[in-house]
Amino acid sequence: MIESFNEIPEEDIQTYNEWAGYFSLKPNFVKWALSKCDKKVIGVFSGNQCGKNANIERDYIDRILGIHPIEEKNMRPNTPIRVLRFASQTLPTESEAGGEIRNTMYPQFKKFFPSYLIKKDITARRPAITIRDPQLGGDIVIEFVSYNQEVQSQAGHQRWSIYLDEEPPLSFFEEQIPRLLASNGDLIIGMTPTENLTWTYENIFERASEIYNSPTIIKYLKKRDGITHKVKEVMDRNTNIAVIRAASDDNPTLDINVIEEKYSGLDDVTREIRRYGIFHQISGVIYKEYDPGIHFISRNKYFPEGIPHT
């Protein structure tokens, strides 16, 4: 029995330190919803600084470690396809004028993943991380690609799962789906609905058969519209698509008073987009309020004997 910190072997202390990043995350609603949702396409629509990227990548790490609550999402030693794809606007090695690195996927993953399991890190010529399987299977690879690369260059390779950071071109998204056929894999897209969006509202949000609303979103929509939403809403649609909605307020590391102050000077539309991740009509793109999947109920199902006079 160890009676003091000084008695802990040095190699054990090093191992504990390796896992410090993993345990540093304070999970929020996004992480909880991902642990419950088994749909093959998941759109995470959130406010700024919600922590969606951190929670999505931590969810992927749990899958690599084999501890995800949904068994089919776990990477196992006998999983034949062992490559994940992380895609965003830029590669981890690309920088803008002034040296700013826009890619946040790579540093976020490195922050939470134990470094002793990384067999080979990214290079300028090979933007991929090779990982030693903690379950003693073959190596696992996380490749980083950008939306600026030719779509055809991503074709022909099967992937276990794909994560898209912010909205890619529709052609890029459509090319990813065939890459998941052999593995029966899944795709996650995380984004804040800003003014330059084109296809995600119609192709993801409107087609979702499940919508997960954080308590913050539920409270806000109740105040705004007088409608009480549920944490999990099942739509009358036969799709394998789900949506997770969360707000800046759902980040447990942020002070609510600071959030109120930062958003207080914004107009209602901008605040709803930036704080709550709510779609709006901007730049000629119309996000209509009426949605049959939400606002329409079956007469025969709810009133089989006819609508009561009262």
Side-chain angles (χ1 to χ4, degrees):
M1 178 178 178
I2 298 175
E3 297 182 354
S4 72
F5 183 78
N6 292 331
E7 294 183 39
I8 300 178
E10 184 175 345
E11 59 271 20
D12 288 349
I13 295 177
Q14 183 177 349
T15 300
Y16 298 150
N17 289 335
E18 291 279 359
W19 288 91
Y22 175 85
F23 289 110
S24 68
L25 177 74
K26 294 181 178 180
N28 66 8
F29 180 80
V30 172
K31 181 68 172 70
W32 177 86
L34 287 172
S35 72
K36 304 294 182 181
C37 182
D38 61 356
K39 297 299 181 182
K40 292 301 183 182
V41 175
I42 301 177
V44 180
F45 300 109
S46 71
N48 290 131
Q49 300 299 314
C50 166
K52 70 176 183 305
N53 190 23
N55 282 267
I56 291 172
E57 293 205 38
R58 169 64 185 276
D59 188 77
Y60 270 110
I61 292 173
D62 286 349
R63 295 165 68 166
I64 292 171
L65 297 175
I67 59 174
H68 198 282
I70 301 174
E71 173 55 32
E72 68 177 21
K73 290 192 173 187
N74 284 310
M75 174 75 75
R76 295 301 184 196
N78 61 350
T79 301
I81 298 173
R82 309 182 70 77
V83 181
L84 294 79
R85 175 174 290 172
F86 283 10
S88 64
Q89 295 289 347
T90 60
L91 293 171
T93 53
E94 294 176 348
S95 62
E96 295 184 320
E100 180 183 0
I101 302 295
R102 290 183 57 193
N103 185 293
T104 59
M105 305 178 89
Y106 170 72
Q108 197 79 261
F109 184 84
K110 288 291 293 290
K111 175 182 178 180
F112 296 125
F113 195 76
S115 61
Y116 74 93
L117 291 174
I118 294 179
K119 185 175 181 179
K120 185 182 298 184
D121 211 337
I122 66 169
T123 63
R125 298 185 62 180
R126 183 179 180 272
I129 300 176
T130 302
I131 297 169
R132 296 182 179 88
D133 185 1
Q135 302 173 75
L136 304 181
D139 289 345
I140 301 167
V141 175
I142 298 179
E143 66 171 5
F144 295 88
V145 302
S146 81
Y147 303 150
N148 298 319
Q149 294 174 274
E150 292 185 8
V151 172
Q152 193 59 33
S153 68
Q154 310 302 326
H157 305 288
Q158 292 296 306
R159 297 294 176 257
W160 180 59
S161 183
I162 297 172
Y163 171 33
L164 308 177
D165 184 24
E166 302 303 337
E167 183 188 78
L170 179 57
S171 59
F172 186 97
F173 170 78
E174 291 175 337
E175 177 55 38
Q176 306 312 301
I177 303 302
R179 308 283 72 79
L180 299 167
L181 293 178
S183 65
N184 190 25
D186 65 307
L187 181 147
I188 299 176
I189 176 171
M191 56 186 293
T192 296
T194 54
E195 65 274 8
N196 58 347
L197 299 186
T198 57
W199 59 270
T200 43
Y201 180 80
E202 182 178 355
N203 291 49
I204 303 294
F205 192 88
E206 277 201 314
R207 297 182 59 214
S209 59
E210 292 180 359
I211 296 180
Y212 293 78
N213 300 297
S214 77
T216 305
I217 295 293
I218 293 173
K219 180 179 179 181
Y220 179 76
L221 294 178
K222 172 67 174 178
K223 179 181 178 181
R224 191 192 70 171
D225 304 327
I227 299 175
T228 302
H229 291 264
K230 298 178 181 178
V231 171
K232 179 182 179 181
E233 296 180 315
V234 179
M235 307 293 108
D236 188 18
R237 303 174 186 137
N238 186 26
T239 67
N240 213 340
I241 302 173
V243 160
I244 298 172
R245 307 174 74 186
S248 302
D249 309 47
D250 293 308
N251 187 333
T253 68
L254 299 181
D255 187 319
I256 188 63
N257 295 318
V258 174
I259 295 175
E260 293 281 0
E261 178 185 352
K262 296 299 183 183
Y263 288 114
S264 61
L266 302 178
D267 61 81
D268 291 344
V269 170
T270 303
R271 185 174 64 253
E272 287 197 339
I273 293 172
R274 294 296 182 180
R275 184 172 180 176
Y276 299 103
I278 294 175
F279 289 91
H280 270 279
Q281 178 180 344
I282 298 178
S283 303
V285 180
I286 299 176
Y287 304 117
K288 58 184 182 291
E289 292 293 328
Y290 174 73
D291 185 338
I294 300 175
H295 300 115
F296 182 81
I297 62 175
S298 169
R299 172 175 177 161
N300 294 332
K301 177 180 178 180
Y302 290 94
F303 304 106
E305 299 178 359
I307 300 177
H309 175 73
T310 54

